[in-house]
Amino acid sequence: MTRVSPPDLQSFLTDLDMSVHAANDWGTPANYIPELACIAPDQFAISVALPDGQVLSAGCHDQPFSIQSVSKVFTLACVLGRIGDELWDRVGREPSGTSFDSIVLLEREQGRPRNPFINAGALVTTDALLDGRMPADALAEVLGFIRTAAGDTNIHIDGDVATSEKVTGHRNTALAYYLASHKNLHNPPNSTLETYFHQCAIAMNTDQLARAGTVLARFQNAPRLLSSERARRINALMMTCGHYDGSGDFAFRVGLPGKSGVGGGILIIAPGKASIAVWSPGLNNYGNSKVGTEAAHRLAQFTGWSVFAG
Ligand code: GLN
């Protein structure tokens, strides 16, 4: 079924919200960022933005959460808009098969990260966004992009989450200095890290995130922030790399491009059909939302939405 009526979809989402609450294992919130570690795992929200402008939701869809690595999609869009294909001189486009914060491949591949969604690649992308400016200017650009995409100016950075990650972000600090040693950071590592931690600390609810994703779903009435070619390519990277070493499993189970974050959010794009945001803060072994992934799987089964189906 590729056509699903909004009332049927709404009742599916309402039932889904009720049934996920029967879960006895919600996964574990990101424990290396103290501000996220203390969030109760048994929470769930889902929003589906449709081409006619409706947003259907269930669960705590108006509660802001930390979008973390979902922000990397928007930073990438901004950077491709600024420098285009030049980015690919500094970052690859291949899945890594390693965890999001791994340093192993970076050493083997002389400081050129595998893709823009693992932390090393996201640091290079953020460095390209910074481009000699003050962190506040780069952050204003990515926040402006997200607000315009979502049609909502009430989206902000949670300073406590950014500070919390800065204090404990030893791995990201190591990655940044390692990249700098390979001359793949053009700004002082601390400026790039500062920008990166704040970008990850953007807080949104699932309604806002689903609306922001409409620029990637290429809806007729979505703000024109991206060319269709660029949206297609970002979607391809989300499919192959958006869930780190869980990307193959997500493609297999859900069949749609998705980008996860350790705050428990996932943005999922069904091109031309829907932009979906799910949130549940407990993570699976890959660092992706446990219940969120299961909900995405069930939504894909119900709707039949898949980039692998006609
Ligand atoms: N800010 C987080 C980090 O750098 C983002 C990781 C993620 O969401 N997967 O570790």
Side-chain angles (χ1 to χ4, degrees), residues 90 123-124 126-127 130 135 166 169 172-197:
R90 299 174 60 188
L123 284 163
V124 171
T126 298
D127 187 71
L130 195 52
K166 187 175 171 180
N172 284 321
T173 305
L175 287 169
Y177 278 90
Y178 197 81
L179 289 163
S181 81
H182 279 283
K183 306 210 171 355
N184 204 1
L185 282 198
H186 298 170
N187 301 278
N190 280 332
S191 302
T192 302
L193 284 163
E194 178 83 3
T195 313
Y196 174 79
F197 291 142

Side-chain angles (χ1 to χ4, degrees), residues 32-33 68-69 72 100 119 165 172 196 200 244 260-263 287:
Y32 69 100
I33 303 175
Q68 292 296 317
S69 286
K72 295 171 182 175
F100 62 88
N119 286 9
E165 185 170 6
N172 284 321
Y196 174 79
C200 288
Y244 316 112
S260 69
V262 290

Side-chain angles (χ1 to χ4, degrees), residues 6-19 44 46-48 55-59 276 299 302:
D8 285 354
L9 184 54
Q10 181 60 63
S11 63
F12 169 80
L13 297 176
T14 307
D15 290 351
L16 180 66
D17 174 45
M18 278 193 313
S19 66
F44 177 75
I46 186 162
S47 301
V48 180
V55 179
L56 309 180
S57 320
I276 302 145
L299 177 69
F302 175 75

